[in-house]
Amino acid sequence: MSSPAQQPVRSDFAARLRSGTRADHDHVQSLPFLRTLLAGELEADAYAVMLGQHYFAYSVLEQAADAMRSDVVAGPFVSERLRRLPHLETDLHYYLGPDWREVIAPSAATERYCARLREVCFDWPGGFVAHHYTRCLADLSGGKLIRSAMRRSLDPPDGKGFAFLTFDDVPSSAGVRNAYRLLLDTAGWDEREQRRIIAEVRLAYHLNTEVFADLGSRLPPRIPRPRG
Ligand code: HEM
């Protein structure tokens, strides 16, 4: 049995991180591409292009997860349940066919995002957690909402096309998010490191914003609905 002295001290880092990045979240969420998606008005090909961009980022992030698995600080954040790469592959095959690897290409914004992931996620545990938090909690938290919006526009047969947004091994996304927040609170980062991680999460939001802005610029122009 562990004595009270062995219990990790719980900080309020998760709450600080959330409030310190709320404006960045609100901003990315308001971009035309995500608004179109949430309105249930995104076409399948635009959704597939988004999945393709996520595929490149997750390839680097999940390689970093493998590298960080045995790290004493970052290792506990790595979870099979949050892995998205095999699910992205399933969906890309569904939308683009068996040659999907030849069809997708990273945008310049995705290249910049991947370069930053390579720079900080392999030898800085806090940097890995910053990027892992931003993408994994995004997909886990917004996934259900986005899935039901996408169902309205795509209505695919037999529930196909949503493997990326479906977390079969997660009985309660709130439970996983709370467990994630507990890890953030007990990681033992000092004030300076906490500030450094918050800055990295803000950069992660910025890099994601550029990816979604580029995706938005490829959307067909909206045709105004006639009044009355
Ligand atoms: C359609 C767009 C989006 C919707 C509807 C959405 C919605 C949500 C919701 C409902 C939550 C849970 C808030 C709560 O726990 O009370 C959340 C959390 C979160 N979202 Fe999003 N989101 C979107 C886009 C994004 C994007 C693009 C990113 C990152 C690039 C992102 C990153 C996050 C993160 C990191 C959290 C966890 C915050 C925390 O609890 O610390 N979201 N989102």
Side-chain angles (χ1 to χ4, degrees):
M1 218 171 80
S2 62
S3 69
Q6 290 170 306
Q7 298 289 328
V9 178
R10 185 158 187 175
S11 71
D12 64 351
F13 181 54
R16 273 189 74 188
L17 177 58
R18 187 182 156 104
S19 63
T21 56
R22 183 165 291 140
D24 305 284
H25 184 269
D26 291 350
H27 176 60
V28 71
Q29 203 181 339
S30 73
L31 293 177
F33 185 88
L34 288 171
R35 274 192 290 139
T36 306
L37 188 159
L38 268 190
E41 292 172 0
L42 202 68
E43 303 288 340
D45 47 358
Y47 185 63
V49 176
M50 183 200 82
L51 293 175
Q53 300 309 306
H54 283 357
Y55 176 80
F56 293 106
Y58 266 105
S59 298
V60 184
L61 193 59
E62 294 195 2
Q63 272 172 34
D66 291 335
M68 282 289 171
R69 186 182 297 279
S70 52
D71 182 88
V72 68
V73 174
F77 290 89
V78 176
S79 155
E80 284 308 309
R81 300 192 290 188
L82 296 180
R83 263 191 202 276
R84 293 294 89 199
L85 209 53
H87 306 292
L88 281 166
E89 291 177 359
T90 304
D91 284 349
L92 283 163
H93 187 283
Y94 172 73
Y95 288 108
L96 301 175
D99 297 331
W100 61 269
R101 281 176 207 275
E102 276 92 77
V103 180
I104 62 171
S107 65
T110 294
E111 297 269 26
R112 285 193 293 276
Y113 185 17
C114 291
R116 185 63 186 172
L117 292 171
R118 279 188 213 100
E119 204 176 323
V120 298
C121 291
F122 288 82
D123 54 11
W124 173 29
F128 166 74
V129 172
H131 286 279
H132 186 262
Y133 159 86
T134 310
R135 272 261 47 102
C136 294
L137 287 207
D139 300 325
L140 190 62
S141 309
K144 240 190 199 157
L145 267 175
I146 294 173
R147 206 171 56 201
S148 55
M150 291 299 300
R151 238 180 239 301
R152 273 184 273 144
S153 54
L154 301 185
D155 195 20
D158 311 331
K160 284 189 186 294
F162 293 127
F164 170 62
L165 296 172
T166 307
F167 290 81
D168 278 336
D169 301 334
V170 173
S172 143
S173 79
V176 172
R177 277 183 286 154
N178 287 338
Y180 204 100
R181 290 194 182 112
L182 179 64
L183 287 175
L184 290 169
D185 283 347
T186 53
W189 290 308
D190 63 14
E191 174 65 25
R192 187 171 166 275
E193 183 67 354
Q194 288 189 8
R195 273 196 269 122
R196 215 177 146 214
I197 293 169
I198 292 174
E200 191 63 32
V201 170
R202 297 201 66 194
L203 178 60
Y205 271 112
H206 173 70
L207 292 164
N208 274 279
T209 298
E210 288 194 327
V211 171
F212 284 110
D214 170 73
L215 288 168
S217 72
R218 302 189 209 184
L219 288 176
R222 286 175 72 89
I223 300 162
R225 294 211 177 104
R227 285 166 186 253

